Amino acid sequence: MRTLKMLGALTENNELTKTGWLMARLPLPPRYARMMVEAERSECILEVATMTAMLAGTEVLLTAPGKGRLVADRHQARAVDDSSDMFTFLELYRQMHEHQRDLDAWCEENFLSAPALLEARKLRWRLVGIAKRRGSR
């Protein structure tokens, strides 16, 4: 309850706010739902839907026993900015489309989960669709 109040989803009397109603209609945990509501208000749906989908689903970055350094190097090569994984997730999503024909091989080579990326793509489509039905651009 405290988290929902902090996110602006509940009043002090534990009633849903307008923001809370918008959040409740999203297939996401509260913190991610709040991100999407703000994205709708700020008109940055595509970027935030991508980041949310990459965060909310199965882990995209894989590990491999005995290959720690190689895995770290491959993941670091994909990193866009050391200050935030969000830019890296946006870039990974973009690259996924570039490698659509050879997605499994690309993912294996770079220690990424193809099923997790495809799951993120489905969730992103769903989130963008909900936002568009609610009038967002």
Side-chain angles (χ1 to χ4, degrees):
M1 300 289 267
R2 186 172 58 229
T3 299
L4 292 173
K5 286 178 183 177
M6 180 188 74
L7 294 172
L10 289 179
T11 67
E12 288 302 317
N13 298 326
N14 295 328
E15 296 173 356
L16 277 176
T17 63
K18 181 180 177 184
T19 297
W21 280 106
L22 293 170
M23 289 169 57
R25 289 176 170 76
L26 292 167
L28 295 168
R31 286 186 172 102
Y32 298 135
R34 178 68 170 143
M35 285 172 46
M36 285 301 300
V37 169
E38 274 314 303
E40 289 178 58
R41 291 177 179 157
S42 302
E43 299 182 3
C44 55
I45 289 295
L46 296 178
E47 295 83 0
V48 175
T50 302
M51 291 183 276
T52 300
M54 297 286 278
L55 287 169
T58 306
E59 181 63 47
V60 172
L61 303 174
L62 299 176
T63 59
K67 296 185 179 181
R69 187 71 247 152
L70 178 60
V71 171
D73 288 347
R74 294 285 167 82
H75 289 172
Q76 185 61 33
R78 299 271 163 254
V80 173
D81 184 334
D82 287 340
S83 66
S84 173
D85 289 341
M86 298 307 109
F87 296 115
T88 300
F89 284 145
L90 288 170
E91 180 61 18
L92 282 175
Y93 191 84
R94 187 192 65 72
Q95 288 179 16
M96 174 181 65
H97 291 286
E98 285 180 10
H99 295 279
Q100 205 158 327
R101 292 186 190 270
D102 64 337
L103 184 63
D104 289 333
W106 178 72
C107 285
E108 186 175 326
E109 178 183 322
N110 292 288
F111 301 99
L112 303 169
S113 170
L117 285 168
L118 294 173
E119 176 187 328
R121 182 170 62 186
K122 279 184 184 177
L123 179 55
R124 181 185 183 270
W125 286 341
R126 194 167 171 205
L127 296 173
V128 169
I130 291 168
K132 285 185 178 184
R133 283 191 298 281
R134 296 199 307 204
S136 295
R137 295 185 233 158

